[in-house]
Amino acid sequence: MLSRLSRRSPFNTSIFRSFATARERDEFRLQEYSQKYLGYRKAVFTEKLEIIDSSKAEAVPIYRVTDGLGNFIDSSQDPKFGKEMSVKIYETMTQLNIMDRILYDSQRQGRISFYMTNFGEEGNHVGSAAALKNSDLVYGQYREVGVLMWRGFPLEQFMHQCYGNSMDIGKGKQMPVHYGSKEHNFVTISSPLTTQLPQAVGSAYAFKRQPNNDRVVCVYFGDGAASEGDAHAAFNFAATLDCPIIFFCRNNGYAISTPTSEQYAGDGIAGKGPGYGLHTIRVDGNDLFAVYNATQEARRVALTNKPVLIEAMTYRLGHHSTSDDSTAYRFKTYLVEKNWWDDEKEKAWQKEVRKRVLKAFGDAEKTKLAHFHELFEGVYDQVPELLKRQRDELDNHLKEYGEHYPLDRCLRK
Amino acid sequence: MAAFRPFSSLLVGGNTRQLLAKRGAAHFNFQPSDAPKEYGDVRQKMNLCQAVNNAMDIAMDTDPSAVLFGEDVAFGGVFRCSIGLKDKYGADRVFNTPLCEQGIAGFGIGLAVAGSTAIAEIQFGDYIFPAYDQLVNEAAKYRYRSGGLFECGKLTVRATWGAVGHGALYHSQCPEANFTHTPGVKVVIPRGPTQAKGLLLSCIRDDNPTIFFEPKILYRLAAEEVPVGDFMIPLSKAETVRKGKDVTIVSWGTQVHVCLEAAQLAQEKLGVSAEVIDLQTIQPWDEDHVVESVKRTGRLIVSHEAPKTSGFGAEIAATIQDRCFLHLESPVNRSCGWDTPFPHVYEPFYLPTVWRVFDSIKKTVKY
């Protein structure tokens, strides 16, 4: 190994001896460093002793399209959504918000075991989802429900998953809000943070190898998750292996109780992008138009096998927060101005969604769990002998002790 | 994980036998196997490294979605297992990754989720631990947790494994038991070139994530006539490599050869007839095969290089006492590595040598 490396060394003495001047030698060295070490970035020598102070560097600017009141600042940046699309965007955001409120309350009442709301981030989900193609593969963390909703995942299925009942396509295996749908190209959520990032890169690589590829992968994660080693792995693999992927970071300022000042000391998540050789942009996550434009452009760039990092800045809103700055509120102003929405429509829509959610929730609550044998299914593609024996063991146990188990909650075989 | 690998550089293009000769004889003699007829008539002498290369060549030839990646695989791998494959299949199918095991495992899972066959290499089994989370929490649970909507069955992780004479703490480990405690992955270890080829092809084509550990001491040292065609050895099937009637010895990887030698010694010195079983697939393992043998012999020894406590031998011992209680004539014996890290200069005293296994046979039959 050592001998192999030394054969390739740029510091081969015979080459150096042939330089006539120090300048020629410097140029050779700079060229070597530039090509072999720095991905053709142009490096220069400096005689000034200066250690870079990252806190002095300018922060990556935040791209926006509308101001705080929802007015377009540069009309050329207006994506000019039609009526149908605009209404769908608004309806998806508000439907998600209503579902969140009802499920959050039901978790408080102990009717479901766990819940995670999306307050304040609806615009990120819907704005980015609208800019992707539905065939693009999405990997999420757990706060990207708006993407699934945008793609038409049925309300009923959200509820079935939260109850883990026999209608849940995930077969009742995971905690609530760990959604997934093959049909909607949304990879099933798992709890370990950031594991989805290098996986998303692998899927993007698989897409790249397909002839005439027209799909990208979009992977969502939070600012806390970006601290995991898997984030580093993913950024680096995506860049060195030229993968068609969008890294979408939702930076809401906190990971549980930890503020970003204790999470990182650099220029947020976007600040990391250029260090890995990623195309990078920071957007105002409460500006749906900005999120949409950035994702659409990122998708175009990613399709040329250049990975893109988007950092969307949002607020973490509380359950009952009705901030005037919320994306849905700002987007509603836009709809009302175009005469595509009014108070009457709003009232009717709110009432309808509430009714549908409550109905789906009630139905899901009443639906039985799958037969308990389901617990042995899907460990492997087929149930191995060892597990069949354990299944028999449980059957025999329940024959004698069944009364001590919630058998009546399960379907009969 | 910073993979400081003095030994990989020693082994590049090197000759393990020579290295070992410098440091004294290997702790075992490789016993070639004669592949069954159904694996094909045309055979060629291959060492284990060439057999692995041959298996990957066939896998990539028969499956255009298959890709091979890891640290330093593009130039042929530090053990030469992937030599020639980049030239044959292209740089987009055989490529280097950054030096990051958790990335390699996660990347491989993602390829498999998207339908590609992913053959990932972890340079040493000792460096698989940074990928532990991806393998245990992700790969193993993908199908189960999604209700079968998504899975990564097309992922195979290959890693070098086991004692090599001088590998010390981080070039010698046998981490199989770390993975057998995880439902959802399969763990497979071959004892020679024929098994390496047939089992690796089965792993690559199996619809479950598999971890394939390659005994690195056998890469060059083990050579035998291997069928050149496309054949697979079924997973979760043990193989009886020596028939006997007095005691059953279960082992896998290099240790099978140690046990065969000890069995021969026991025959010569004690007149004891020992049956030796190569487990081949460690998880899910072939319980019935071992049960059948122990019911005949009434005695069981389990032998592995990994430390004794919570090693896979404990699982076998517990299962056999449960299923063969009335047939057992003596306690199940475990001849294993000691419960210490794997030492450098004390390796000859650490390993479950021929003499330790021989002593186990003696004590078990005389119990």
Side-chain angles (χ1 to χ4, degrees), chain B residues 93-116:
Chain B
R93 295 189 62 190
V94 180
F95 52 91
N96 292 337
T97 65
L99 204 163
C100 179
E101 284 77 11
Q102 65 193 101
I104 292 170
F107 180 80
I109 292 169
L111 275 163
V113 166
S116 279

Side-chain angles (χ1 to χ4, degrees), chain A residues 1-2 4 8 137 139 169-171 173-174 178 180-183 185-210 228-234 236-237 240-241 243 374-382 384-386 389, chain B residues 5 8-9 12 64-67 69 72 75 78 91-93 95-111 113-116 133-134 137-140 142-150 182-186 206-209 283-285 287-288 315 323:
Chain A
M1 191 94 142
L2 279 175
R4 216 170 48 78
R8 288 183 181 178
L137 188 65
Y139 281 83
I169 54 173
K171 310 274 175 69
K173 302 285 173 60
Q174 291 210 85
H178 291 53
S181 172
K182 186 97 180 162
E183 183 191 342
N185 293 302
F186 191 97
V187 180
T188 301
I189 301 294
S190 75
S191 308
L193 285 181
T194 329
T195 48
Q196 79 277 21
L197 263 73
Q199 294 171 17
V201 178
S203 292
Y205 190 90
F207 286 177
K208 181 174 87 160
R209 286 201 60 237
Q210 288 161 8
E228 292 280 3
D230 274 335
H232 161 68
N236 203 21
F237 277 52
T240 57
L241 296 168
C243 296
E374 180 58 41
L375 98 87
F376 296 99
E377 295 290 331
V379 180
Y380 295 94
D381 61 334
Q382 287 160 23
E385 286 305 315
L386 173 144
R389 275 195 287 273
Chain B
R5 316 183 191 84
S8 60
S9 55
V12 171
S65 84
V67 294
F69 54 92
D72 306 301
F75 87 106
V78 297
D92 71 319
R93 295 189 62 190
F95 52 91
N96 292 337
T97 65
L99 204 163
C100 179
E101 284 77 11
Q102 65 193 101
I104 292 170
F107 180 80
I109 292 169
L111 275 163
V113 166
S116 279
D133 183 43
Q134 284 286 354
N137 274 330
E138 296 291 318
Y142 233 95
R143 186 193 309 269
Y144 189 79
R145 75 183 185 205
S146 69
L149 294 173
F150 295 93
T182 299
V185 283
K186 294 189 176 181
D206 191 80
D207 258 344
N208 300 282
Q283 165 88 333
W285 65 291
E287 285 184 31
D288 291 347
E315 183 57 45
R323 293 188 62 186

Side-chain angles (χ1 to χ4, degrees), chain A residues 16-309:
Chain A
F16 272 89
R17 277 197 205 101
S18 68
F19 292 124
T21 62
R23 203 185 136 160
E24 265 183 74
R25 178 181 284 199
D26 284 352
E27 274 174 12
F28 174 81
R29 286 162 66 201
L30 282 175
Q31 201 185 339
E32 286 285 296
Y33 291 144
S34 162
Q35 287 182 9
K36 292 183 180 164
Y37 299 63
L38 305 174
Y40 293 93
R41 287 172 184 80
K42 192 163 170 52
V44 294
F45 287 114
T46 176
E47 289 70 44
K48 199 164 123 191
L49 174 57
E50 187 180 38
I51 294 174
I52 294 167
D53 178 351
S54 82
S55 68
K56 297 259 184 341
E58 273 183 43
V60 174
I62 306 163
Y63 168 70
R64 65 170 178 170
V65 172
T66 56
D67 64 18
L69 294 174
N71 302 311
F72 284 92
I73 299 160
D74 172 355
S75 61
S76 75
Q77 298 295 296
D78 180 354
K80 296 201 167 59
F81 297 139
K83 179 182 174 184
E84 199 187 332
M85 178 141 168
S86 301
V87 171
K88 187 182 169 189
I89 287 172
Y90 184 68
E91 287 184 347
T92 306
M93 285 194 288
T94 46
Q95 176 170 290
L96 172 56
N97 191 270
I98 292 165
M99 184 180 87
D100 267 357
R101 283 165 199 268
I102 291 171
L103 290 186
Y104 178 85
D105 287 342
S106 67
Q107 192 270 326
R108 291 271 144 177
Q109 295 159 9
R111 294 165 77 182
I112 55 174
S113 63
F114 175 81
Y115 197 68
M116 194 77 97
T117 64
N118 301 273
F119 303 128
E121 302 206 29
E122 300 93 335
N124 268 326
H125 308 179
V126 180
S128 56
L132 297 170
K133 279 197 174 175
N134 287 353
S135 57
D136 292 337
L137 188 65
V138 166
Y139 281 83
Q141 182 164 311
Y142 48 66
R143 221 190 287 277
E144 294 85 12
V145 182
V147 178
L148 253 183
M149 208 171 253
W150 173 263
R151 291 185 173 189
F153 191 70
L155 261 184
E156 293 73 19
Q157 270 303 323
F158 288 116
M159 314 294 157
H160 291 321
Q161 198 284 330
C162 287
Y163 273 104
N165 65 31
S166 57
M167 301 285 280
D168 169 25
I169 54 173
K171 310 274 175 69
K173 302 285 173 60
Q174 291 210 85
M175 282 173 78
V177 313
H178 291 53
Y179 308 117
S181 172
K182 186 97 180 162
E183 183 191 342
H184 300 93
N185 293 302
F186 191 97
V187 180
T188 301
I189 301 294
S190 75
S191 308
L193 285 181
T194 329
T195 48
Q196 79 277 21
L197 263 73
Q199 294 171 17
V201 178
S203 292
Y205 190 90
F207 286 177
K208 181 174 87 160
R209 286 201 60 237
Q210 288 161 8
N212 307 316
N213 174 47
D214 63 350
R215 299 172 79 189
V216 303
V217 176
C218 183
V219 54
Y220 295 86
F221 57 106
D223 50 279
S227 294
E228 292 280 3
D230 274 335
H232 161 68
F235 297 155
N236 203 21
F237 277 52
T240 57
L241 296 168
D242 307 314
C243 296
I245 186 168
I246 301 168
F247 293 106
F248 195 108
C249 179
R250 302 173 286 94
N251 191 339
N252 66 14
Y254 286 92
I256 303 186
S257 73
T258 306
T260 55
S261 60
E262 293 165 25
Q263 197 65 249
Y264 53 75
D267 176 21
I269 309 306
K272 300 172 196 270
Y276 288 100
L278 296 174
H279 283 56
T280 302
I281 185 170
R282 174 175 283 153
V283 300
D284 178 357
N286 291 316
D287 181 345
L288 185 135
F289 301 101
V291 172
Y292 177 87
N293 285 354
T295 309
Q296 190 180 51
E297 176 62 7
R299 188 180 187 282
R300 190 191 65 74
V301 173
L303 264 182
T304 66
N305 299 328
K306 294 185 179 97
V308 184
L309 170 63

